[in-house]
Amino acid sequence: MRVHVADHPLVTHKLTVLRDETTPSPTFRALAEELVTLLAYEATRNVRVSPVTVTTPVAEAHGLAIGDPRPLVVPILRAGLGMLGGMVKLVPTAEVGFLGMVRNEQTLQPDIYAERLPDDLANRQCFVLDPMLATGGSLIAAIDFLFDRGAVDVTAICLIAAPEGLEAVKKATEGREVTIVLGALDERLNERGYIVPGLGDAGDRLYGTV
Ligand code: URA
């Protein structure tokens, strides 16, 4: 598993405002999208491309086009939805699928309660959006689901991760082509499963408590 933690003052500045508990939802939403766009730049470094030739007013120019099959972007509901706009702004030709996860209170494992993805992901590159990599449970379940459908590589974009969750994802995805791109790697998880210092509940801060 490859891990890339963004090391850029723009990312840290925006994350700092995002963490601030006085930042209201509209600002939080705008910043989350801007952050994803910055992280997506790094996350798409190995996106599949094909050579193309265009004609400029002066001569032929050899370039690249984002490939066939198109990358698949998968926000994890609900908080991952807050990252979708920023991602498709940067990769407008991507296809978008959805995965909804909820914690099963008996098994404490994430269950998939909603899924809207192509049946066959053979040869597809997938980009999972999940703002908070806490215990890693839902990200591991999402990555397993995508590989079981045939995906060849999965990149997760997360705003903040806890070291415990990152380690869990690393163990669970050994031998698979997985990349994690982060805005920040925080200190730890607390006893309630929140990232410290983190930013609280990302879904609540994006959408208000429901
Ligand atoms: N999910 C969140 O939204 N925040 C955390 O700190 C952990 C999980």
Side-chain angles (χ1 to χ4, degrees), residues 53-163:
T53 303
V54 295
T55 308
T56 78
V58 179
E60 280 203 334
H62 303 292
L64 298 172
I66 288 190
D68 183 22
R70 296 183 289 160
L72 177 68
V73 175
V74 184
I76 307 289
L77 306 179
R78 133 187 96 142
L81 270 188
M83 301 169 74
L84 181 59
M87 185 70 187
V88 296
K89 203 176 281 174
L90 204 68
V91 194
T93 53
E95 191 177 3
V96 180
F98 296 91
L99 264 184
M101 303 231 191
V102 66
R103 194 163 89 138
N104 181 316
E105 291 306 331
Q106 260 94 52
T107 64
L108 301 184
Q109 295 303 309
D111 279 348
I112 293 173
Y113 70 85
E115 173 261 302
R116 190 82 187 181
L117 289 166
D119 288 336
D120 182 6
L121 295 178
N123 210 22
R124 300 296 294 268
Q125 284 184 307
C126 299
F127 294 86
V128 175
L129 308 179
D130 197 4
M132 307 300 278
L133 201 181
T135 62
S138 49
L139 186 56
I140 291 168
I143 291 172
D144 281 348
F145 187 93
L146 296 170
F147 277 112
D148 287 350
R149 286 256 170 119
V152 287
D153 69 68
V154 177
T155 298
I157 304 179
C158 306
L159 301 182
I160 301 178

Side-chain angles (χ1 to χ4, degrees), residues 12-81:
T12 309
H13 167 78
K14 288 178 194 295
L15 261 180
T16 305
V17 182
L18 208 67
R19 290 178 190 277
D20 186 338
E21 64 178 0
T22 67
T23 298
S25 282
T27 312
F28 191 97
R29 281 198 289 271
L31 282 170
E33 289 211 352
E34 287 171 21
L35 271 164
V36 175
T37 305
L38 295 172
L39 298 180
Y41 180 75
E42 185 56 41
T44 51
R45 183 168 290 282
N46 295 316
V47 72
R48 212 173 297 142
V49 288
S50 339
V52 290
T53 303
V54 295
T55 308
T56 78
V58 179
E60 280 203 334
H62 303 292
L64 298 172
I66 288 190
D68 183 22
R70 296 183 289 160
L72 177 68
V73 175
V74 184
I76 307 289
L77 306 179
R78 133 187 96 142
L81 270 188

